Coordinates of all heavy atoms in Angstrom, one line a residue:
M6 N 111.3 170.3 290.4 CA 111.4 171.6 289.7 C 110.1 172.0 289.2 O 109.4 171.2 288.6 CB 112.5 171.4 288.6 CG 112.6 172.6 287.8 SD 113.8 172.5 286.4 CE 115.3 172.4 287.2
S7 N 109.8 173.2 289.4 CA 108.5 173.7 288.8 C 108.6 173.9 287.3 O 109.7 174.0 286.8 CB 108.1 175.0 289.5 OG 108.9 176.0 289.1
V8 N 107.4 174.0 286.7 CA 107.4 174.2 285.3 C 108.0 175.6 284.9 O 108.7 175.7 283.9 CB 105.9 174.2 284.8 CG1 105.9 174.5 283.3 CG2 105.4 172.8 285.0
M9 N 107.8 176.6 285.8 CA 108.3 177.9 285.5 C 109.9 177.9 285.5 O 110.5 178.5 284.6 CB 107.9 178.9 286.6 CG 108.4 180.3 286.4 SD 108.0 181.3 287.8 CE 106.9 182.4 287.1
N10 N 110.5 177.2 286.4 CA 112.0 177.1 286.5 C 112.5 176.4 285.3 O 113.5 176.7 284.7 CB 112.4 176.4 287.7 CG 112.3 177.3 288.9 OD1 112.2 178.5 288.8 ND2 112.2 176.7 290.1
H11 N 111.8 175.3 284.8 CA 112.2 174.5 283.7 C 112.1 175.4 282.4 O 113.1 175.3 281.6 CB 111.3 173.3 283.5 CG 111.7 172.4 282.4 ND1 112.8 171.7 282.4 CD2 111.1 172.2 281.2 CE1 112.9 171.0 281.3 NE2 111.9 171.3 280.5
E12 N 111.1 176.2 282.3 CA 111.0 177.1 281.1 C 112.1 178.1 281.1 O 112.7 178.5 280.1 CB 109.7 177.7 281.0 CG 108.5 176.7 280.7 CD 107.2 177.4 280.7 OE1 107.1 178.6 281.1 OE2 106.2 176.7 280.4
R13 N 112.4 178.7 282.3 CA 113.5 179.7 282.4 C 114.8 179.1 282.0 O 115.6 179.7 281.3 CB 113.5 180.2 283.8 CG 114.4 181.4 283.9 CD 114.5 182.0 285.3 NE 115.3 181.1 286.1 CZ 115.1 180.8 287.4 NH1 114.1 181.2 288.0 NH2 116.0 180.0 288.0
L14 N 115.1 177.9 282.5 CA 116.3 177.2 282.2 C 116.4 176.9 280.7 O 117.5 177.1 280.1 CB 116.4 175.9 282.9 CG 117.7 175.1 282.7 CD1 118.9 175.9 283.2 CD2 117.6 173.7 283.4
R15 N 115.4 176.5 280.0 CA 115.4 176.3 278.6 C 115.7 177.6 277.8 O 116.4 177.6 276.9 CB 114.1 175.7 278.1 CG 113.9 174.3 278.5 CD 115.0 173.4 277.8 NE 115.5 172.4 278.8 CZ 116.6 171.8 278.8 NH1 117.5 172.1 277.8 NH2 117.0 171.0 279.7
R16 N 115.1 178.7 278.2 CA 115.4 180.0 277.5 C 116.8 180.4 277.7 O 117.5 180.9 276.8 CB 114.5 181.1 278.1 CG 113.0 181.0 277.5 CD 112.3 182.2 277.9 NE 112.3 182.3 279.4 CZ 111.2 182.3 280.1 NH1 110.0 182.2 279.5 NH2 111.2 182.5 281.4
W17 N 117.4 180.2 278.9 CA 118.8 180.5 279.2 C 119.7 179.6 278.4 O 120.6 180.1 277.8 CB 119.0 180.2 280.7 CG 120.5 180.3 281.1 CD1 121.2 181.4 281.3 CD2 121.3 179.2 281.3 NE1 122.5 181.1 281.7 CE2 122.6 179.7 281.6 CE3 121.2 177.8 281.2 CZ2 123.7 178.9 281.9 CZ3 122.3 177.0 281.4 CH2 123.5 177.6 281.8
Y18 N 119.3 178.4 278.2 CA 120.1 177.4 277.4 C 120.1 177.8 276.0 O 121.1 177.7 275.3 CB 119.5 176.0 277.6 CG 120.2 174.9 276.8 CD1 121.2 174.2 277.3 CD2 119.6 174.5 275.6 CE1 121.8 173.2 276.6 CE2 120.2 173.5 274.9 CZ 121.3 172.9 275.4 OH 121.9 171.9 274.7
D19 N 119.0 178.2 275.5 CA 118.9 178.5 274.0 C 119.7 179.8 273.6 O 119.9 179.9 272.4 CB 117.4 178.7 273.6 CG 116.6 177.4 273.7 OD1 117.3 176.3 273.6 OD2 115.4 177.5 273.8
E20 N 120.0 180.6 274.5 CA 120.7 181.8 274.2 C 122.2 181.6 273.9 O 122.9 182.4 273.4 CB 120.6 182.8 275.3 CG 119.2 183.4 275.5 CD 119.1 184.4 276.6 OE1 120.1 184.7 277.2 OE2 118.0 184.7 276.9
F21 N 122.7 180.4 274.3 CA 124.1 180.1 274.1 C 124.4 179.4 272.8 O 123.5 178.5 272.4 CB 124.7 179.3 275.3 CG 124.9 180.1 276.5 CD1 123.9 180.3 277.5 CD2 126.1 180.8 276.8 CE1 124.0 181.0 278.6 CE2 126.3 181.5 277.9 CZ 125.2 181.7 278.8
P22 N 125.5 179.6 272.2 CA 125.8 178.8 270.9 C 126.0 177.4 271.3 O 126.2 177.0 272.4 CB 127.1 179.5 270.4 CG 127.5 180.5 271.4 CD 126.5 180.6 272.5
P23 N 126.0 176.5 270.2 CA 126.2 175.1 270.5 C 127.6 174.8 271.1 O 128.5 175.6 271.0 CB 126.2 174.5 269.1 CG 125.6 175.5 268.2 CD 125.8 176.8 268.9
R24 N 127.7 173.7 271.8 CA 128.9 173.4 272.6 C 130.1 173.3 271.7 O 131.2 173.6 272.1 CB 128.7 172.1 273.3 CG 127.7 172.3 274.5 CD 127.6 171.0 275.2 NE 128.0 171.1 276.5 CZ 127.9 170.2 277.4 NH1 127.5 169.0 277.2 NH2 128.3 170.5 278.7
G25 N 129.9 172.8 270.5 CA 131.1 172.7 269.5 C 131.7 174.0 269.3 O 132.9 174.1 269.1
A26 N 130.9 175.0 269.2 CA 131.4 176.4 268.9 C 132.2 176.9 270.1 O 133.3 177.5 269.9 CB 130.3 177.4 268.6
W27 N 131.7 176.6 271.3 CA 132.5 177.0 272.5 C 133.8 176.3 272.6 O 134.8 176.8 272.9 CB 131.7 176.7 273.8 CG 130.7 177.7 274.0 CD1 129.3 177.5 274.0 CD2 130.8 179.1 274.3 NE1 128.7 178.7 274.3 CE2 129.6 179.7 274.5 CE3 132.0 179.9 274.5 CZ2 129.4 181.0 274.8 CZ3 131.8 181.2 274.8 CH2 130.5 181.8 275.0
R28 N 133.8 175.0 272.2 CA 135.1 174.2 272.3 C 136.0 174.7 271.2 O 137.2 174.8 271.5 CB 134.7 172.7 272.0 CG 134.0 172.1 273.2 CD 133.7 170.7 273.0 NE 132.9 170.1 274.1 CZ 132.0 169.2 274.0 NH1 131.7 168.7 272.8 NH2 131.4 168.8 275.0
A29 N 135.5 175.0 270.0 CA 136.4 175.5 269.0 C 137.0 176.9 269.4 O 138.2 177.2 269.2 CB 135.6 175.7 267.7
A30 N 136.2 177.8 270.0 CA 136.7 179.1 270.4 C 137.8 178.9 271.5 O 138.8 179.5 271.4 CB 135.5 179.9 271.0
G31 N 137.5 178.0 272.4 CA 138.5 177.7 273.5 C 139.8 177.2 272.9 O 140.9 177.6 273.3
G32 N 139.7 176.3 271.9 CA 140.9 175.7 271.2 C 141.6 176.8 270.4 O 142.9 176.8 270.5
L33 N 140.9 177.7 269.8 CA 141.6 178.7 269.0 C 142.3 179.7 269.9 O 143.4 180.2 269.6 CB 140.6 179.5 268.1 CG 140.1 178.7 266.9 CD1 139.0 179.5 266.2 CD2 141.3 178.4 265.9
I34 N 141.7 180.1 271.0 CA 142.3 181.0 272.0 C 143.6 180.3 272.6 O 144.6 180.9 272.7 CB 141.3 181.4 273.1 CG1 140.2 182.2 272.5 CG2 142.0 182.1 274.2 CD1 139.0 182.4 273.5
A35 N 143.4 179.0 273.0 CA 144.6 178.3 273.5 C 145.7 178.2 272.5 O 146.9 178.4 272.8 CB 144.2 177.0 274.0
F36 N 145.4 177.9 271.2 CA 146.4 177.8 270.2 C 147.1 179.2 270.0 O 148.3 179.2 269.8 CB 145.7 177.4 268.9 CG 146.7 177.3 267.7 CD1 147.6 176.2 267.7 CD2 146.7 178.2 266.7 CE1 148.5 176.1 266.6 CE2 147.6 178.1 265.7 CZ 148.5 177.1 265.6
G37 N 146.3 180.3 270.0 CA 146.9 181.6 269.8 C 147.8 181.9 271.0 O 148.9 182.5 270.7
L38 N 147.5 181.5 272.2 CA 148.4 181.8 273.3 C 149.6 180.9 273.2 O 150.7 181.4 273.6 CB 147.6 181.5 274.6 CG 146.6 182.6 275.0 CD1 145.7 182.1 276.2 CD2 147.3 183.9 275.3
L39 N 149.5 179.7 272.7 CA 150.7 178.8 272.5 C 151.6 179.4 271.5 O 152.8 179.3 271.6 CB 150.2 177.4 272.2 CG 149.7 176.6 273.4 CD1 149.2 175.2 272.9 CD2 150.8 176.4 274.4
A40 N 151.0 180.0 270.4 CA 151.8 180.6 269.4 C 152.6 181.8 269.9 O 153.7 182.1 269.4 CB 150.9 181.0 268.2
Q41 N 152.0 182.4 270.9 CA 152.8 183.5 271.5 C 153.7 183.0 272.7 O 154.2 183.8 273.4 CB 151.8 184.6 272.1 CG 151.0 185.2 271.0 CD 150.0 186.2 271.6 OE1 149.8 186.3 272.8 NE2 149.3 187.0 270.8
R42 N 153.8 181.7 272.8 CA 154.6 181.1 273.8 C 154.2 181.4 275.2 O 155.0 181.6 276.1 CB 156.1 181.4 273.6 CG 156.6 180.9 272.3 CD 158.0 181.2 272.1 NE 158.4 180.8 270.7 CZ 159.6 180.6 270.4 NH1 160.6 180.8 271.2 NH2 159.8 180.2 269.1
S43 N 152.8 181.4 275.4 CA 152.3 181.6 276.7 C 151.6 180.3 277.2 O 150.4 180.2 277.1 CB 151.3 182.8 276.7 OG 150.7 182.9 278.0
L44 N 152.4 179.4 277.7 CA 151.9 178.1 278.2 C 150.9 178.3 279.3 O 149.9 177.6 279.4 CB 153.0 177.2 278.6 CG 152.6 175.8 279.0 CD1 151.9 175.1 277.9 CD2 153.9 175.0 279.5
V45 N 151.3 179.2 280.3 CA 150.4 179.4 281.4 C 149.0 179.9 281.0 O 148.0 179.5 281.5 CB 151.1 180.4 282.4 CG1 150.1 180.7 283.6 CG2 152.3 179.8 282.9
G46 N 149.0 180.9 280.0 CA 147.8 181.4 279.5 C 146.9 180.3 278.8 O 145.7 180.3 279.0
A47 N 147.6 179.5 278.0 CA 146.9 178.4 277.3 C 146.3 177.4 278.3 O 145.1 177.0 278.1 CB 147.8 177.7 276.3
L48 N 147.0 177.1 279.3 CA 146.5 176.2 280.3 C 145.3 176.8 281.1 O 144.4 176.1 281.4 CB 147.6 175.7 281.3 CG 148.6 174.8 280.7 CD1 149.7 174.5 281.7 CD2 148.0 173.5 280.2
A49 N 145.4 178.1 281.3 CA 144.3 178.8 282.0 C 143.1 178.8 281.2 O 142.0 178.6 281.7 CB 144.7 180.2 282.4
V50 N 143.2 179.0 279.9 CA 142.0 178.9 279.0 C 141.4 177.5 279.0 O 140.2 177.4 279.0 CB 142.4 179.4 277.6 CG1 141.3 179.1 276.6 CG2 142.7 180.9 277.6
I51 N 142.2 176.5 278.9 CA 141.7 175.1 278.8 C 141.0 174.8 280.1 O 139.9 174.2 280.1 CB 142.9 174.2 278.6 CG1 143.4 174.4 277.1 CG2 142.5 172.7 278.8 CD1 144.7 173.6 276.8
V52 N 141.6 175.2 281.3 CA 140.9 174.9 282.5 C 139.6 175.7 282.7 O 138.6 175.2 283.1 CB 141.9 175.3 283.7 CG1 141.2 175.3 285.1 CG2 143.0 174.3 283.7
A53 N 139.6 177.0 282.2 CA 138.4 177.8 282.3 C 137.3 177.2 281.4 O 136.1 177.1 281.9 CB 138.7 179.2 281.8
F54 N 137.6 176.7 280.3 CA 136.6 176.1 279.4 C 136.1 174.8 280.0 O 135.0 174.4 279.8 CB 137.1 176.0 278.0 CG 136.8 177.2 277.2 CD1 137.7 178.3 277.2 CD2 135.7 177.4 276.4 CE1 137.5 179.4 276.5 CE2 135.5 178.5 275.7 CZ 136.4 179.6 275.7
A55 N 137.0 174.0 280.6 CA 136.6 172.7 281.2 C 135.7 173.0 282.4 O 134.7 172.3 282.6 CB 137.9 172.0 281.7
V56 N 136.0 174.0 283.2 CA 135.1 174.3 284.3 C 133.7 174.8 283.8 O 132.7 174.5 284.3 CB 135.7 175.4 285.2 CG1 134.7 176.0 286.2 CG2 136.9 174.8 285.9
A57 N 133.7 175.6 282.7 CA 132.5 176.0 282.1 C 131.7 174.8 281.6 O 130.4 174.8 281.8 CB 132.8 177.0 281.0
E58 N 132.3 173.8 281.1 CA 131.6 172.6 280.7 C 130.9 171.9 281.9 O 129.8 171.5 281.8 CB 132.5 171.6 280.0 CG 133.0 172.0 278.6 CD 132.0 171.6 277.5 OE1 131.2 170.6 277.8 OE2 132.0 172.2 276.5
L59 N 131.6 171.8 283.0 CA 131.1 171.2 284.2 C 129.9 172.0 284.7 O 128.9 171.4 285.1 CB 132.2 171.1 285.2 CG 133.3 170.1 284.9 CD1 134.4 170.2 286.0 CD2 132.8 168.7 284.8
V60 N 130.0 173.3 284.8 CA 128.9 174.1 285.2 C 127.7 174.0 284.3 O 126.6 173.9 284.8 CB 129.4 175.6 285.4 CG1 128.2 176.5 285.6 CG2 130.4 175.7 286.5
F61 N 128.0 174.0 283.0 CA 126.9 173.9 282.0 C 126.2 172.5 282.2 O 125.0 172.5 282.2 CB 127.5 174.0 280.6 CG 126.5 174.1 279.5 CD1 125.9 175.3 279.2 CD2 126.1 172.9 278.8 CE1 124.9 175.4 278.2 CE2 125.2 173.0 277.8 CZ 124.6 174.2 277.5
D62 N 126.9 171.5 282.4 CA 126.3 170.1 282.6 C 125.5 170.1 283.9 O 124.4 169.6 283.9 CB 127.4 169.0 282.7 CG 127.9 168.7 281.3 OD1 127.2 168.9 280.3 OD2 129.0 168.1 281.2
A63 N 126.0 170.7 284.9 CA 125.3 170.7 286.2 C 124.0 171.5 286.1 O 123.0 171.1 286.6 CB 126.2 171.4 287.3
A64 N 124.0 172.6 285.4 CA 122.8 173.4 285.2 C 121.8 172.7 284.3 O 120.6 172.8 284.4 CB 123.2 174.8 284.5
D65 N 122.3 171.9 283.3 CA 121.5 171.2 282.4 C 120.8 170.0 283.0 O 119.7 169.6 282.6 CB 122.3 170.8 281.2 CG 121.4 170.4 280.0 OD1 120.4 171.0 279.8 OD2 121.8 169.4 279.3
H66 N 121.4 169.4 284.0 CA 120.9 168.2 284.6 C 120.0 168.5 285.8 O 119.4 167.6 286.4 CB 122.0 167.3 285.1 CG 122.7 166.6 284.0 ND1 122.1 165.7 283.2 CD2 123.9 166.8 283.5 CE1 122.9 165.3 282.2 NE2 124.1 166.0 282.4
R67 N 119.8 169.8 286.2 CA 119.0 170.1 287.3 C 117.5 170.1 287.0 O 117.0 170.2 286.0 CB 119.3 171.5 287.8 CG 120.5 171.5 288.7 CD 120.7 172.8 289.3 NE 121.0 172.5 290.7 CZ 120.8 173.2 291.7 NH1 120.2 174.3 291.6 NH2 121.2 172.8 292.9

Protein backbone atom coordinates (compact mmCIF):
# COMPACT_ATOMS: atom_id res chain seq x y z
CA MET A 1 0.00 0.00 0.00
CA SER A 2 1.36 3.38 -0.90
CA VAL A 3 1.70 6.16 1.64
CA MET A 4 -0.94 8.18 -0.18
CA ASN A 5 -3.54 5.40 0.14
CA HIS A 6 -2.68 4.93 3.81
CA GLU A 7 -3.22 8.63 4.53
CA ARG A 8 -6.50 8.63 2.62
CA LEU A 9 -7.73 5.63 4.62
CA ARG A 10 -6.82 7.32 7.90
CA ARG A 11 -8.74 10.48 6.97
CA TRP A 12 -11.75 8.35 5.98
CA TYR A 13 -11.49 6.47 9.28
CA ASP A 14 -11.31 9.63 11.37
CA GLU A 15 -14.58 10.99 9.96
CA PHE A 16 -16.65 8.22 11.54
CA PRO A 17 -17.68 8.20 15.21
CA PRO A 18 -16.22 5.56 17.55
CA ARG A 19 -17.44 2.02 17.14
CA GLY A 20 -19.20 2.06 20.49
CA ALA A 21 -21.45 4.87 19.28
CA TRP A 22 -22.36 2.89 16.15
CA ARG A 23 -23.15 -0.18 18.24
CA ALA A 24 -25.28 1.87 20.63
CA ALA A 25 -27.17 3.46 17.72
CA GLY A 26 -27.83 0.04 16.19
CA GLY A 27 -29.02 -1.29 19.53
CA LEU A 28 -31.37 1.64 20.08
CA ILE A 29 -32.83 1.32 16.59
CA ALA A 30 -33.32 -2.43 17.05
CA PHE A 31 -34.88 -1.86 20.48
CA GLY A 32 -37.26 0.73 19.02
CA LEU A 33 -38.31 -1.67 16.30
CA LEU A 34 -38.86 -4.43 18.85
CA ALA A 35 -40.98 -2.05 20.93
CA GLN A 36 -43.13 -1.59 17.82
CA ARG A 37 -43.26 -5.39 17.48
CA SER A 38 -41.28 -5.44 14.26
CA LEU A 39 -39.05 -8.47 14.70
CA VAL A 40 -38.11 -8.56 11.01
CA GLY A 41 -37.04 -4.91 11.10
CA ALA A 42 -35.00 -5.42 14.27
CA LEU A 43 -33.23 -8.43 12.76
CA ALA A 44 -32.54 -6.45 9.58
CA VAL A 45 -30.94 -3.65 11.62
CA ILE A 46 -28.78 -6.11 13.55
CA VAL A 47 -27.64 -7.83 10.34
CA ALA A 48 -26.94 -4.48 8.67
CA PHE A 49 -24.78 -3.29 11.55
CA ALA A 50 -22.95 -6.64 11.67
CA VAL A 51 -22.16 -6.40 7.96
CA ALA A 52 -20.99 -2.82 8.48
CA GLU A 53 -18.60 -4.04 11.21
CA LEU A 54 -17.17 -6.66 8.84
CA VAL A 55 -16.69 -4.12 6.04
CA PHE A 56 -15.13 -1.66 8.48
CA ASP A 57 -12.69 -4.33 9.72
CA ALA A 58 -11.79 -5.31 6.17
CA ALA A 59 -11.10 -1.67 5.24
CA ASP A 60 -9.07 -1.13 8.42
CA HIS A 61 -6.84 -4.17 7.84
CA ARG A 62 -5.95 -3.30 4.23
